[in-house]
Amino acid sequence: MSKASDRRRFLFQVGASGVAVLGMQSLVVGAADAADMPPLDPSGPQASALGYVADGTTTDTAKFPRYRAEQECVNCQLYQGDATAAAGGCLLFAGKSVAAKGWCNAWAQKAS
Ligand code: SF4
């Protein structure tokens, strides 16, 4: 094998390793960020407009008839937390954590 070919292969391997390390770092940082975020206040303007509650079973179903018992933040497409954590981030509420057992009217089935 030529020196140029060896050099290309070496550079490719170094680059691929760097991408893998960066990906793992962002996963770790994401998990730490969720734990550090303050919980979403259900009485805040956006949260209350969407009927967010930290316990989905307390949803006002007269006001939010879309709610179903099996719908929780943890199985929502917008949830950013670990499936085993009590809370995690949400794409709708940047900088806040939502309860894994929470719910809001923007709930969407997480793709499996
Ligand atoms: Fe929970 Fe999904 Fe509403 Fe975010 S969008 S608060 S994860 S139900």
Side-chain angles (χ1 to χ4, degrees):
M1 193 169 294
S2 72
K3 281 188 173 184
S5 176
D6 284 346
R7 192 175 310 128
R8 270 197 301 274
R9 188 169 49 171
F10 171 75
L11 290 173
F12 173 78
Q13 288 172 340
V14 168
S17 299
V19 169
V21 168
L22 286 174
M24 289 169 59
Q25 283 178 331
S26 64
L27 284 174
V28 170
V29 169
D33 286 348
D36 294 340
M37 288 187 288
L40 177 65
D41 178 359
S43 65
Q46 188 182 358
S48 64
L50 287 171
Y52 172 76
V53 286
D55 177 355
T57 63
T58 65
T59 297
D60 179 350
T61 53
K63 201 170 175 185
F64 299 101
R66 282 189 68 231
Y67 171 74
R68 298 290 178 269
E70 65 275 12
Q71 299 173 352
E72 297 179 321
C73 289
V74 73
N75 58 28
C76 173
Q77 185 66 36
L78 303 178
Y79 188 67
Q80 300 295 294
D82 188 306
T84 60
C90 169
L91 292 177
L92 279 188
F93 302 105
K96 305 288 185 187
S97 67
V98 296
K101 294 201 171 298
W103 183 87
C104 90
N105 205 35
W107 183 91
Q109 179 69 58
K110 186 183 283 272
S112 49

